[in-house]
Amino acid sequence: MSDGPTYGFDTLQIHAGARPDPATGARQTPIYQTTAYVFRDADHAAALFNLQEVGFIYSRLTNPTVAVLQERIATLEGGVGAVCCSSGHAAQIMALFPLMGPGCNVVASTRLYGGTVTQFSQTIKRFGWSAKFVDTDDLDAVNAAIDENTRAVFCESIANPGGYVTDIRALADIADAAGIPLIVDNTSATPYLCRPIEHGATLVVHSTTKYLTGNGTVTGGCIVDSGKFDWSANGKFPSLSEPESAYHGLKFHETFGPLAFTFHGIAIGLRDLGMTMNPQAAHYTLLGIETLSLRMDRHVENAQKIAAWLEADDRIEYVTYAGLPSSPYHDRVQAQYKKGAGALFTFAVKGGYDACIKLVNALEIFSHVANLGDARSLIIHSASTTHRQLTPEQQEAAGAGPGVVRVSIGIEDADDLIADLDQALAKATA
Ligand SMILES: *Cc1c(COP(=O)(O)O)cnc(C)c1O
């Protein structure tokens, strides 16, 4: 497909990055289950290794099936390039890797996926990096947390475990003024509901495991670059602006301009960290993305109905869904998330921890799993599972207190889902 900025989302989700297979004419993107690619001659090989020519060398770096997915996601997000990797968590490390060094920190929202809180508060310390967690609605606190060693601000658009949506524009303005990039995890919103780059984000990360694949088959991640950040402006990002010793002195920003981050992600990140997406996973995710907008519309419609039903039920303490008029974030949704507030939310059951456990056990259509963004409806009691490693204060700050369950509303019949919740709530609160 030729580049056509005039194509709509529904067209791009099927066609962007793909063309009939040049060898066979196959219309669907083949799974290139292949490791290495023959060089035309020794000069061609040298040009590829010098990054003077773009092509395929070895599938730890680039693979034809994965390349289609990269271009598809970059297009849907409105970025200039993307790097896919083996999981969402890999994408987060890959996003931070070119920016950080020992002694550097990232200012991160308190409202994040539980695994991200653990990755940022514990594991990245082994690299000499650290995270400072702040309430991203308190813009003064965000400003105050940024110091001379801060290299990024990190948030989720629609935040896990639910009910919160971020004012991306406000955070982007703060990051901009500090000369650092804003990284937005857009997993729960997907580019159909929110395109963070349009609101000022520099980088977008995804767990493609979730809505982009949409069927619970493979794990994957992706980093999309807006191409808009000036990596050479203030000397804070030497991996991109200075000669790279791990690449015979190449200056990525000077050489590749807006594609510097993407090239660095492949030539250094995937080459040396090796968190590569496999072609089979890319294939499943490409199939999923073809129906992204259709699924997201149904996810949102169902979530809206079910959240309203729960809110009106007297066995429920409260529902945190930003699509409800009662949500403090309802206006923000109208402004920045026009197609809806996603399908992820939490609700508190009267009866607390014990009632939540009974509810989860009694549901029949909803599956009790540590996942989200599946076609199937899912439920989890965060405090005893995904957010178990967090302190009680961190659990509350993340919206995952002991009396709360999180649902990821699927695309089944809304009436069936409501009936299932109704019977399980009867048992949980009897
Ligand atoms: C699942 C998830 C991740 C981690 O992704 P994996 O693919 O499981 O590594 C990160 N952020 C969000 C918002 C997620 O939902």
Side-chain angles (χ1 to χ4, degrees), residues 87-89 92 113 116 156 160 185 187-188 207 209-210 220 372:
S87 70
H89 269 7
Q92 293 168 191
Y113 180 72
T116 305
E156 292 177 10
N160 212 306
D185 180 339
T187 299
S188 310
S207 167
T209 314
K210 312 293 169 52
L372 60 94

Side-chain angles (χ1 to χ4, degrees), residues 7 41 84 107 121 148 173 201 231 239 244 277 297 301 313 345 355 368 377-378 380:
Y7 290 122
D41 52 33
C84 282
V107 169
S121 62
E148 72 275 14
D173 288 345
W231 303 108
S239 294
E244 170 61 65
M277 178 181 277
D297 277 337
E301 185 188 322
D313 193 290
F345 61 87
H368 184 204
S377 290
L378 313 174
I380 195 152

Side-chain angles (χ1 to χ4, degrees), residues 380-404:
I380 195 152
H381 182 233
S382 305
S384 62
T385 56
T386 51
H387 288 59
R388 196 182 180 88
Q389 309 306 327
L390 274 53
T391 64
E393 296 74 41
Q394 284 175 319
Q395 287 179 352
E396 290 292 348
V404 166

